[in-house]
Amino acid sequence: MSNTTRPEAKRIHQIIKLKPEHYEAYKECHAKVWPEVLQRIKSSHIEDYSISYDPSTNILFASFKYTGTNFEEDMEAIRQDARTREWWKMTDGYQQSLNLRAVSSEMGGVNGTPAWWKELEEVFYVA
């Protein structure tokens, strides 16, 4: 019997505003996410990732589970990934951050810059 146990997943929920004129482009690019971006997400211990859209408010809602042991290190690995940064440059143009003074996905959290996506508090969960 192994002593290794999987860490308890950290559930993350975030929102951002989608510029309505970019709805089709945003949906299209997410139908064909670049394989390198998907691999980086998986390598950084992100699972069960989804993005939903509310057309009445133009809000995108993202939810995922983080199953690794060093969240900051894994998020930095994503930030340093060249292909992911290219992806963000494209998708950030479709979005409007709800965090004041946010600059971009790439700069989110760097030197006190707010995250591009606004993180939400989970108030209820049942498995």
Side-chain angles (χ1 to χ4, degrees), residues 34 36-41 44 75 77-92 105-106:
W34 302 341
E36 305 92 338
V37 172
L38 292 175
Q39 184 55 53
R40 179 69 262 162
I41 288 169
S44 289
M75 296 307 102
I78 291 173
R79 184 185 335 278
Q80 294 302 319
D81 183 73
R83 194 69 166 146
T84 298
R85 288 195 312 269
E86 288 178 47
W87 177 263
W88 285 343
K89 284 179 184 164
M90 175 183 58
T91 59
D92 283 6
S105 291
E106 185 175 352

mmCIF file of all heavy atoms in Angstrom, residues 34 36-41 44 75 77-92 105-106:
data_model
loop_
_atom_site.group_PDB
_atom_site.id
_atom_site.type_symbol
_atom_site.label_atom_id
_atom_site.label_comp_id
_atom_site.label_asym_id
_atom_site.label_seq_id
_atom_site.Cartn_x
_atom_site.Cartn_y
_atom_site.Cartn_z
ATOM 1 N N TRP A 34 -5.236 25.589 -28.692
ATOM 2 C CA TRP A 34 -3.940 25.097 -29.149
ATOM 3 C C TRP A 34 -3.451 23.969 -28.238
ATOM 4 O O TRP A 34 -3.485 24.103 -27.003
ATOM 5 C CB TRP A 34 -2.928 26.229 -29.163
ATOM 6 C CG TRP A 34 -3.332 27.399 -30.026
ATOM 7 C CD1 TRP A 34 -4.257 27.416 -31.031
ATOM 8 C CD2 TRP A 34 -2.818 28.713 -29.931
ATOM 9 N NE1 TRP A 34 -4.343 28.667 -31.568
ATOM 10 C CE2 TRP A 34 -3.475 29.490 -30.916
ATOM 11 C CE3 TRP A 34 -1.880 29.328 -29.116
ATOM 12 C CZ2 TRP A 34 -3.204 30.837 -31.112
ATOM 13 C CZ3 TRP A 34 -1.607 30.670 -29.313
ATOM 14 C CH2 TRP A 34 -2.261 31.403 -30.310
ATOM 15 N N GLU A 36 -0.567 22.985 -27.289
ATOM 16 C CA GLU A 36 0.484 23.362 -26.336
ATOM 17 C C GLU A 36 -0.102 24.060 -25.109
ATOM 18 O O GLU A 36 0.405 23.902 -23.995
ATOM 19 C CB GLU A 36 1.515 24.292 -26.988
ATOM 20 C CG GLU A 36 2.150 23.742 -28.247
ATOM 21 C CD GLU A 36 1.406 24.144 -29.527
ATOM 22 O OE1 GLU A 36 0.211 24.480 -29.474
ATOM 23 O OE2 GLU A 36 2.057 24.113 -30.586
ATOM 24 N N VAL A 37 -1.150 24.824 -25.305
ATOM 25 C CA VAL A 37 -1.813 25.514 -24.197
ATOM 26 C C VAL A 37 -2.502 24.485 -23.311
ATOM 27 O O VAL A 37 -2.390 24.540 -22.079
ATOM 28 C CB VAL A 37 -2.800 26.574 -24.723
ATOM 29 C CG1 VAL A 37 -3.637 27.150 -23.594
ATOM 30 C CG2 VAL A 37 -2.045 27.684 -25.457
ATOM 31 N N LEU A 38 -3.193 23.539 -23.917
ATOM 32 C CA LEU A 38 -3.851 22.485 -23.143
ATOM 33 C C LEU A 38 -2.834 21.658 -22.355
ATOM 34 O O LEU A 38 -3.068 21.317 -21.190
ATOM 35 C CB LEU A 38 -4.661 21.574 -24.059
ATOM 36 C CG LEU A 38 -5.888 22.207 -24.718
ATOM 37 C CD1 LEU A 38 -6.517 21.219 -25.691
ATOM 38 C CD2 LEU A 38 -6.883 22.652 -23.659
ATOM 39 N N GLN A 39 -1.695 21.357 -22.982
ATOM 40 C CA GLN A 39 -0.669 20.577 -22.295
ATOM 41 C C GLN A 39 -0.097 21.344 -21.109
ATOM 42 O O GLN A 39 0.137 20.785 -20.048
ATOM 43 C CB GLN A 39 0.450 20.177 -23.257
ATOM 44 C CG GLN A 39 1.491 19.277 -22.614
ATOM 45 C CD GLN A 39 0.880 18.028 -21.991
ATOM 46 O OE1 GLN A 39 0.152 17.302 -22.640
ATOM 47 N NE2 GLN A 39 1.161 17.775 -20.713
ATOM 48 N N ARG A 40 0.121 22.643 -21.272
ATOM 49 C CA ARG A 40 0.649 23.453 -20.165
ATOM 50 C C ARG A 40 -0.350 23.490 -19.009
ATOM 51 O O ARG A 40 0.038 23.406 -17.843
ATOM 52 C CB ARG A 40 0.954 24.871 -20.665
ATOM 53 C CG ARG A 40 1.488 25.823 -19.630
ATOM 54 C CD ARG A 40 2.896 25.445 -19.186
ATOM 55 N NE ARG A 40 2.842 24.694 -17.939
ATOM 56 C CZ ARG A 40 3.823 23.944 -17.470
ATOM 57 N NH1 ARG A 40 4.958 23.816 -18.107
ATOM 58 N NH2 ARG A 40 3.700 23.315 -16.328
ATOM 59 N N ILE A 41 -1.624 23.613 -19.322
ATOM 60 C CA ILE A 41 -2.662 23.602 -18.287
ATOM 61 C C ILE A 41 -2.592 22.292 -17.504
ATOM 62 O O ILE A 41 -2.549 22.294 -16.268
ATOM 63 C CB ILE A 41 -4.062 23.813 -18.917
ATOM 64 C CG1 ILE A 41 -4.217 25.264 -19.389
ATOM 65 C CG2 ILE A 41 -5.170 23.428 -17.939
ATOM 66 C CD1 ILE A 41 -5.443 25.499 -20.255
ATOM 67 N N SER A 44 0.413 21.865 -15.303
ATOM 68 C CA SER A 44 0.357 22.714 -14.109
ATOM 69 C C SER A 44 -0.761 22.287 -13.160
ATOM 70 O O SER A 44 -1.217 23.070 -12.334
ATOM 71 C CB SER A 44 0.197 24.186 -14.513
ATOM 72 O OG SER A 44 1.404 24.643 -15.091
ATOM 73 N N MET A 75 1.410 28.275 -11.458
ATOM 74 C CA MET A 75 0.879 29.425 -12.184
ATOM 75 C C MET A 75 2.001 30.202 -12.866
ATOM 76 O O MET A 75 1.831 30.717 -13.979
ATOM 77 C CB MET A 75 0.066 30.338 -11.252
ATOM 78 C CG MET A 75 -1.185 29.697 -10.663
ATOM 79 S SD MET A 75 -2.323 28.957 -11.865
ATOM 80 C CE MET A 75 -1.945 27.201 -11.700
ATOM 81 N N ALA A 77 4.732 28.839 -14.035
ATOM 82 C CA ALA A 77 5.100 28.025 -15.202
ATOM 83 C C ALA A 77 4.161 28.331 -16.373
ATOM 84 O O ALA A 77 4.600 28.407 -17.521
ATOM 85 C CB ALA A 77 5.068 26.542 -14.848
ATOM 86 N N ILE A 78 2.890 28.522 -16.079
ATOM 87 C CA ILE A 78 1.941 28.901 -17.128
ATOM 88 C C ILE A 78 2.303 30.278 -17.672
ATOM 89 O O ILE A 78 2.366 30.490 -18.886
ATOM 90 C CB ILE A 78 0.492 28.880 -16.598
ATOM 91 C CG1 ILE A 78 0.054 27.442 -16.305
ATOM 92 C CG2 ILE A 78 -0.461 29.537 -17.598
ATOM 93 C CD1 ILE A 78 -1.289 27.323 -15.622
ATOM 94 N N ARG A 79 2.555 31.232 -16.775
ATOM 95 C CA ARG A 79 2.882 32.603 -17.184
ATOM 96 C C ARG A 79 4.155 32.644 -18.041
ATOM 97 O O ARG A 79 4.279 33.469 -18.943
ATOM 98 C CB ARG A 79 3.057 33.495 -15.961
ATOM 99 C CG ARG A 79 3.312 34.953 -16.301
ATOM 100 C CD ARG A 79 3.622 35.868 -15.131
ATOM 101 N NE ARG A 79 3.133 35.480 -13.834
ATOM 102 C CZ ARG A 79 1.888 35.678 -13.369
ATOM 103 N NH1 ARG A 79 1.005 36.267 -14.129
ATOM 104 N NH2 ARG A 79 1.553 35.295 -12.168
ATOM 105 N N GLN A 80 5.099 31.771 -17.782
ATOM 106 C CA GLN A 80 6.363 31.777 -18.518
ATOM 107 C C GLN A 80 6.296 31.018 -19.841
ATOM 108 O O GLN A 80 7.225 31.084 -20.640
ATOM 109 C CB GLN A 80 7.482 31.188 -17.646
ATOM 110 C CG GLN A 80 7.809 32.023 -16.427
ATOM 111 C CD GLN A 80 8.231 33.438 -16.794
ATOM 112 O OE1 GLN A 80 8.974 33.658 -17.752
ATOM 113 N NE2 GLN A 80 7.754 34.408 -16.031
ATOM 114 N N ASP A 81 5.201 30.316 -20.093
ATOM 115 C CA ASP A 81 5.061 29.521 -21.305
ATOM 116 C C ASP A 81 4.783 30.427 -22.510
ATOM 117 O O ASP A 81 3.779 31.143 -22.550
ATOM 118 C CB ASP A 81 3.923 28.511 -21.119
ATOM 119 C CG ASP A 81 3.771 27.611 -22.310
ATOM 120 O OD1 ASP A 81 4.629 26.720 -22.498
ATOM 121 O OD2 ASP A 81 2.798 27.804 -23.076
ATOM 122 N N ALA A 82 5.666 30.408 -23.491
ATOM 123 C CA ALA A 82 5.570 31.314 -24.639
ATOM 124 C C ALA A 82 4.272 31.123 -25.424
ATOM 125 O O ALA A 82 3.625 32.101 -25.825
ATOM 126 C CB ALA A 82 6.773 31.126 -25.558
ATOM 127 N N ARG A 83 3.867 29.890 -25.642
ATOM 128 C CA ARG A 83 2.650 29.635 -26.426
ATOM 129 C C ARG A 83 1.412 30.124 -25.666
ATOM 130 O O ARG A 83 0.481 30.677 -26.277
ATOM 131 C CB ARG A 83 2.554 28.150 -26.745
ATOM 132 C CG ARG A 83 1.542 27.832 -27.799
ATOM 133 C CD ARG A 83 1.967 28.343 -29.182
ATOM 134 N NE ARG A 83 1.121 27.701 -30.177
ATOM 135 C CZ ARG A 83 0.719 28.272 -31.290
ATOM 136 N NH1 ARG A 83 1.104 29.489 -31.587
ATOM 137 N NH2 ARG A 83 -0.049 27.633 -32.123
ATOM 138 N N THR A 84 1.398 29.949 -24.347
ATOM 139 C CA THR A 84 0.283 30.439 -23.545
ATOM 140 C C THR A 84 0.219 31.960 -23.597
ATOM 141 O O THR A 84 -0.869 32.538 -23.701
ATOM 142 C CB THR A 84 0.396 29.951 -22.092
ATOM 143 O OG1 THR A 84 0.337 28.523 -22.082
ATOM 144 C CG2 THR A 84 -0.703 30.506 -21.216
ATOM 145 N N ARG A 85 1.368 32.609 -23.541
ATOM 146 C CA ARG A 85 1.376 34.078 -23.648
ATOM 147 C C ARG A 85 0.810 34.531 -24.993
ATOM 148 O O ARG A 85 0.091 35.526 -25.061
ATOM 149 C CB ARG A 85 2.772 34.634 -23.408
ATOM 150 C CG ARG A 85 3.191 34.525 -21.940
ATOM 151 C CD ARG A 85 4.391 35.387 -21.604
ATOM 152 N NE ARG A 85 5.499 35.271 -22.529
ATOM 153 C CZ ARG A 85 6.515 34.422 -22.420
ATOM 154 N NH1 ARG A 85 6.574 33.584 -21.396
ATOM 155 N NH2 ARG A 85 7.481 34.411 -23.305
ATOM 156 N N GLU A 86 1.100 33.814 -26.071
ATOM 157 C CA GLU A 86 0.513 34.134 -27.380
ATOM 158 C C GLU A 86 -1.003 33.979 -27.328
ATOM 159 O O GLU A 86 -1.741 34.822 -27.859
ATOM 160 C CB GLU A 86 1.066 33.199 -28.465
ATOM 161 C CG GLU A 86 2.495 33.441 -28.859
ATOM 162 C CD GLU A 86 2.937 32.425 -29.907
ATOM 163 O OE1 GLU A 86 2.193 32.200 -30.892
ATOM 164 O OE2 GLU A 86 4.020 31.837 -29.729
ATOM 165 N N TRP A 87 -1.463 32.905 -26.699
ATOM 166 C CA TRP A 87 -2.900 32.656 -26.555
ATOM 167 C C TRP A 87 -3.559 33.802 -25.794
ATOM 168 O O TRP A 87 -4.601 34.304 -26.186
ATOM 169 C CB TRP A 87 -3.098 31.325 -25.834
ATOM 170 C CG TRP A 87 -4.533 30.975 -25.565
ATOM 171 C CD1 TRP A 87 -5.230 31.177 -24.400
ATOM 172 C CD2 TRP A 87 -5.457 30.381 -26.472
ATOM 173 N NE1 TRP A 87 -6.512 30.742 -24.533
ATOM 174 C CE2 TRP A 87 -6.687 30.248 -25.794
ATOM 175 C CE3 TRP A 87 -5.363 29.945 -27.792
ATOM 176 C CZ2 TRP A 87 -7.815 29.692 -26.385
ATOM 177 C CZ3 TRP A 87 -6.497 29.384 -28.380
ATOM 178 C CH2 TRP A 87 -7.690 29.272 -27.680
ATOM 179 N N TRP A 88 -2.930 34.206 -24.704
ATOM 180 C CA TRP A 88 -3.483 35.290 -23.901
ATOM 181 C C TRP A 88 -3.556 36.593 -24.676
ATOM 182 O O TRP A 88 -4.513 37.341 -24.526
ATOM 183 C CB TRP A 88 -2.652 35.491 -22.644
ATOM 184 C CG TRP A 88 -2.839 34.453 -21.583
ATOM 185 C CD1 TRP A 88 -3.852 33.558 -21.462
ATOM 186 C CD2 TRP A 88 -1.978 34.230 -20.478
ATOM 187 N NE1 TRP A 88 -3.676 32.786 -20.336
ATOM 188 C CE2 TRP A 88 -2.530 33.179 -19.720
ATOM 189 C CE3 TRP A 88 -0.790 34.810 -20.055
ATOM 190 C CZ2 TRP A 88 -1.937 32.700 -18.552
ATOM 191 C CZ3 TRP A 88 -0.195 34.339 -18.901
ATOM 192 C CH2 TRP A 88 -0.763 33.296 -18.156
ATOM 193 N N LYS A 89 -2.545 36.887 -25.483
ATOM 194 C CA LYS A 89 -2.578 38.128 -26.267
ATOM 195 C C LYS A 89 -3.796 38.138 -27.180
ATOM 196 O O LYS A 89 -4.422 39.184 -27.372
ATOM 197 C CB LYS A 89 -1.296 38.292 -27.074
ATOM 198 C CG LYS A 89 -0.137 38.739 -26.208
ATOM 199 C CD LYS A 89 1.147 38.883 -26.978
ATOM 200 C CE LYS A 89 2.258 39.228 -26.002
ATOM 201 N NZ LYS A 89 3.576 39.032 -26.539
ATOM 202 N N MET A 90 -4.150 36.971 -27.713
ATOM 203 C CA MET A 90 -5.328 36.880 -28.553
ATOM 204 C C MET A 90 -6.600 37.006 -27.710
ATOM 205 O O MET A 90 -7.447 37.864 -27.983
ATOM 206 C CB MET A 90 -5.346 35.545 -29.307
ATOM 207 C CG MET A 90 -6.616 35.330 -30.118
ATOM 208 S SD MET A 90 -6.697 33.728 -30.953
ATOM 209 C CE MET A 90 -6.556 32.573 -29.605
ATOM 210 N N THR A 91 -6.741 36.187 -26.689
ATOM 211 C CA THR A 91 -8.004 36.145 -25.938
ATOM 212 C C THR A 91 -8.211 37.388 -25.075
ATOM 213 O O THR A 91 -9.351 37.808 -24.881
ATOM 214 C CB THR A 91 -8.121 34.871 -25.086
ATOM 215 O OG1 THR A 91 -7.030 34.795 -24.165
ATOM 216 C CG2 THR A 91 -8.163 33.627 -25.972
ATOM 217 N N ASP A 92 -7.147 37.978 -24.550
ATOM 218 C CA ASP A 92 -7.303 39.204 -23.763
ATOM 219 C C ASP A 92 -7.975 40.303 -24.583
ATOM 220 O O ASP A 92 -8.723 41.117 -24.047
ATOM 221 C CB ASP A 92 -5.960 39.722 -23.248
ATOM 222 C CG ASP A 92 -5.425 38.949 -22.051
ATOM 223 O OD1 ASP A 92 -6.024 37.921 -21.665
ATOM 224 O OD2 ASP A 92 -4.382 39.382 -21.505
ATOM 225 N N SER A 105 -3.521 39.188 -18.926
ATOM 226 C CA SER A 105 -3.330 37.882 -18.291
ATOM 227 C C SER A 105 -1.867 37.686 -17.910
ATOM 228 O O SER A 105 -1.550 37.216 -16.828
ATOM 229 C CB SER A 105 -3.774 36.755 -19.227
ATOM 230 O OG SER A 105 -5.162 36.760 -19.405
ATOM 231 N N GLU A 106 -0.977 38.063 -18.813
ATOM 232 C CA GLU A 106 0.462 37.879 -18.580
ATOM 233 C C GLU A 106 0.955 38.684 -17.389
ATOM 234 O O GLU A 106 1.780 38.212 -16.612
ATOM 235 C CB GLU A 106 1.236 38.273 -19.838
ATOM 236 C CG GLU A 106 2.714 37.997 -19.734
ATOM 237 C CD GLU A 106 3.450 38.286 -21.028
ATOM 238 O OE1 GLU A 106 2.808 38.556 -22.062
ATOM 239 O OE2 GLU A 106 4.691 38.250 -20.988
#
